[in-house]
Amino acid sequence: ITDDIMGAVEATRIAEFLSRSKGVVTCPPELIACVWHKVVKYKENSSSNNEGRRLQEIPEIPAPPTKEELAKYGIDPSQFALSDPTNPNSHRSGPTYTPPYTKQQLKDLLSTLTALLERYREEKSLAPILVGYIDAVEKRGES
């Protein structure tokens, strides 16, 4: 999904797949490539001086709190990342977390993934992913 050539295509396929679910609303297909580029390729966008143009005005977003304002609440700004994909300060690294699942939870997950695989076996993009998840759950259950 991060590939420069196929990323937007895969995002479109994912949106089409998700739009089949009741209650899921995706953006119009003609906008998906634009949204994909803004969300996935934000680092490339932020390195250029090309600000782009706004399609519509939005209300002014309040400025993030200052260090002094955070200090009032005992918050060290160096210990958390603000959620701004256009200016990230999180490098998403650290120790790997392995959630502690019970044997029954793994069995239930395996059952659900297998049912999904049966239902979407013809989905050439989804089926291999589900098989990978099933393999991972089976390996996890063995340990």
Side-chain angles (χ1 to χ4, degrees), residues 42 64-65 70 75-85 87-93:
Y42 64 86
L70 292 172
I75 299 172
D76 179 359
S78 67
Q79 298 300 312
F80 69 94
L82 298 176
S83 297
D84 180 1
N87 188 16
N89 60 359
S90 170
H91 298 288
R92 294 180 176 101
S93 64

Short mmCIF file of all heavy atoms in Angstrom, two decimals, residues 42 64-65 70 75-85 87-93:
data_model
loop_
_atom_site.label_atom_id
_atom_site.label_comp_id
_atom_site.label_asym_id
_atom_site.label_seq_id
_atom_site.Cartn_x
_atom_site.Cartn_y
_atom_site.Cartn_z
N TYR A 42 2.69 11.40 3.31
CA TYR A 42 2.77 12.71 3.96
C TYR A 42 4.19 13.19 4.15
O TYR A 42 4.46 14.38 4.10
CB TYR A 42 2.02 12.71 5.29
CG TYR A 42 2.59 11.77 6.33
CD1 TYR A 42 3.61 12.18 7.17
CD2 TYR A 42 2.09 10.49 6.48
CE1 TYR A 42 4.14 11.33 8.11
CE2 TYR A 42 2.61 9.64 7.43
CZ TYR A 42 3.63 10.06 8.23
OH TYR A 42 4.15 9.22 9.17
N PRO A 64 -1.62 23.99 19.03
CA PRO A 64 -1.34 23.01 20.08
C PRO A 64 -0.88 23.71 21.35
O PRO A 64 -0.36 24.83 21.30
CB PRO A 64 -0.22 22.16 19.48
CG PRO A 64 0.29 22.88 18.31
CD PRO A 64 -0.73 23.88 17.90
N PRO A 65 -1.06 23.08 22.49
CA PRO A 65 -0.66 23.72 23.75
C PRO A 65 0.85 23.97 23.79
O PRO A 65 1.63 23.20 23.25
CB PRO A 65 -1.09 22.73 24.83
CG PRO A 65 -1.29 21.44 24.12
CD PRO A 65 -1.60 21.75 22.70
N LEU A 70 1.39 22.74 28.95
CA LEU A 70 1.47 21.32 29.27
C LEU A 70 2.08 21.11 30.66
O LEU A 70 1.65 20.23 31.40
CB LEU A 70 2.30 20.59 28.21
CG LEU A 70 1.67 20.49 26.82
CD1 LEU A 70 2.68 19.93 25.83
CD2 LEU A 70 0.41 19.65 26.85
N ILE A 75 2.67 17.47 32.25
CA ILE A 75 2.90 16.69 31.04
C ILE A 75 4.23 17.10 30.43
O ILE A 75 4.48 18.28 30.18
CB ILE A 75 1.77 16.91 30.01
CG1 ILE A 75 0.44 16.46 30.60
CG2 ILE A 75 2.08 16.19 28.70
CD1 ILE A 75 -0.76 16.81 29.75
N ASP A 76 5.09 16.13 30.20
CA ASP A 76 6.37 16.36 29.54
C ASP A 76 6.16 16.16 28.04
O ASP A 76 5.92 15.05 27.59
CB ASP A 76 7.42 15.38 30.07
CG ASP A 76 8.78 15.56 29.40
OD1 ASP A 76 8.91 16.43 28.52
OD2 ASP A 76 9.70 14.83 29.79
N PRO A 77 6.24 17.24 27.22
CA PRO A 77 5.94 17.12 25.79
C PRO A 77 6.90 16.20 25.04
O PRO A 77 6.58 15.73 23.97
CB PRO A 77 6.03 18.55 25.27
CG PRO A 77 6.79 19.31 26.29
CD PRO A 77 6.59 18.59 27.59
N SER A 78 8.05 15.90 25.61
CA SER A 78 8.98 15.01 24.92
C SER A 78 8.59 13.54 25.11
O SER A 78 9.18 12.66 24.49
CB SER A 78 10.40 15.23 25.42
OG SER A 78 10.50 14.83 26.77
N GLN A 79 7.58 13.29 25.95
CA GLN A 79 7.20 11.91 26.24
C GLN A 79 5.97 11.43 25.47
O GLN A 79 5.49 10.34 25.70
CB GLN A 79 6.93 11.75 27.74
CG GLN A 79 8.12 12.03 28.60
CD GLN A 79 9.28 11.09 28.28
OE1 GLN A 79 9.10 9.89 28.19
NE2 GLN A 79 10.46 11.65 28.06
N PHE A 80 5.45 12.24 24.55
CA PHE A 80 4.32 11.80 23.74
C PHE A 80 4.41 12.45 22.37
O PHE A 80 5.14 13.40 22.16
CB PHE A 80 2.98 12.12 24.41
CG PHE A 80 2.66 13.59 24.46
CD1 PHE A 80 1.89 14.17 23.48
CD2 PHE A 80 3.13 14.37 25.50
CE1 PHE A 80 1.60 15.52 23.53
CE2 PHE A 80 2.83 15.73 25.56
CZ PHE A 80 2.07 16.30 24.57
N ALA A 81 3.68 11.86 21.41
CA ALA A 81 3.67 12.36 20.04
C ALA A 81 2.31 12.97 19.74
O ALA A 81 1.28 12.41 20.08
CB ALA A 81 3.95 11.23 19.07
N LEU A 82 2.31 14.12 19.13
CA LEU A 82 1.06 14.73 18.69
C LEU A 82 0.58 13.99 17.45
O LEU A 82 1.37 13.57 16.61
CB LEU A 82 1.26 16.21 18.39
CG LEU A 82 1.70 17.06 19.58
CD1 LEU A 82 1.97 18.49 19.14
CD2 LEU A 82 0.64 17.04 20.66
N SER A 83 -0.70 13.85 17.30
CA SER A 83 -1.25 13.12 16.15
C SER A 83 -1.44 14.05 14.97
O SER A 83 -2.54 14.45 14.65
CB SER A 83 -2.59 12.48 16.53
OG SER A 83 -2.39 11.55 17.53
N ASP A 84 -0.37 14.41 14.33
CA ASP A 84 -0.42 15.25 13.14
C ASP A 84 0.37 14.55 12.05
O ASP A 84 1.59 14.60 12.03
CB ASP A 84 0.18 16.62 13.44
CG ASP A 84 0.14 17.54 12.22
OD1 ASP A 84 -0.37 17.11 11.16
OD2 ASP A 84 0.64 18.67 12.33
N PRO A 85 -0.32 13.85 11.13
CA PRO A 85 0.40 13.07 10.13
C PRO A 85 1.23 13.92 9.19
O PRO A 85 2.13 13.42 8.54
CB PRO A 85 -0.71 12.34 9.37
CG PRO A 85 -1.95 13.10 9.64
CD PRO A 85 -1.76 13.74 10.98
N ASN A 87 3.12 16.33 10.26
CA ASN A 87 4.31 16.73 11.00
C ASN A 87 4.55 15.74 12.14
O ASN A 87 4.43 16.09 13.30
CB ASN A 87 4.12 18.16 11.55
CG ASN A 87 5.39 18.68 12.17
OD1 ASN A 87 6.47 18.15 11.94
ND2 ASN A 87 5.27 19.71 12.97
N PRO A 88 4.86 14.49 11.81
CA PRO A 88 4.96 13.48 12.86
C PRO A 88 6.23 13.64 13.68
O PRO A 88 7.26 14.04 13.17
CB PRO A 88 5.00 12.16 12.08
CG PRO A 88 5.58 12.54 10.77
CD PRO A 88 5.13 13.95 10.49
N ASN A 89 6.12 13.34 14.97
CA ASN A 89 7.33 13.30 15.79
C ASN A 89 7.46 11.94 16.45
O ASN A 89 8.23 11.76 17.35
CB ASN A 89 7.37 14.44 16.82
CG ASN A 89 6.20 14.41 17.78
OD1 ASN A 89 5.35 13.56 17.67
ND2 ASN A 89 6.17 15.34 18.69
N SER A 90 6.69 10.97 15.96
CA SER A 90 6.80 9.60 16.43
C SER A 90 7.49 8.78 15.35
O SER A 90 7.14 8.89 14.18
CB SER A 90 5.41 9.02 16.69
OG SER A 90 5.51 7.64 16.93
N HIS A 91 8.47 7.99 15.75
CA HIS A 91 9.16 7.16 14.78
C HIS A 91 8.67 5.72 14.85
O HIS A 91 9.22 4.83 14.22
CB HIS A 91 10.67 7.22 15.02
CG HIS A 91 11.20 8.60 14.84
ND1 HIS A 91 11.30 9.20 13.61
CD2 HIS A 91 11.62 9.52 15.74
CE1 HIS A 91 11.78 10.42 13.77
NE2 HIS A 91 11.96 10.64 15.04
N ARG A 92 7.60 5.49 15.61
CA ARG A 92 6.95 4.19 15.72
C ARG A 92 7.95 3.05 15.94
O ARG A 92 7.97 2.06 15.24
CB ARG A 92 6.12 3.92 14.48
CG ARG A 92 4.96 4.87 14.32
CD ARG A 92 4.18 4.56 13.07
NE ARG A 92 3.01 5.40 12.96
CZ ARG A 92 2.95 6.47 12.18
NH1 ARG A 92 3.98 6.81 11.46
NH2 ARG A 92 1.86 7.18 12.12
N SER A 93 8.80 3.23 16.91
CA SER A 93 9.74 2.18 17.23
C SER A 93 9.63 1.85 18.71
O SER A 93 9.00 2.57 19.46
CB SER A 93 11.17 2.61 16.88
OG SER A 93 11.55 3.71 17.67
#
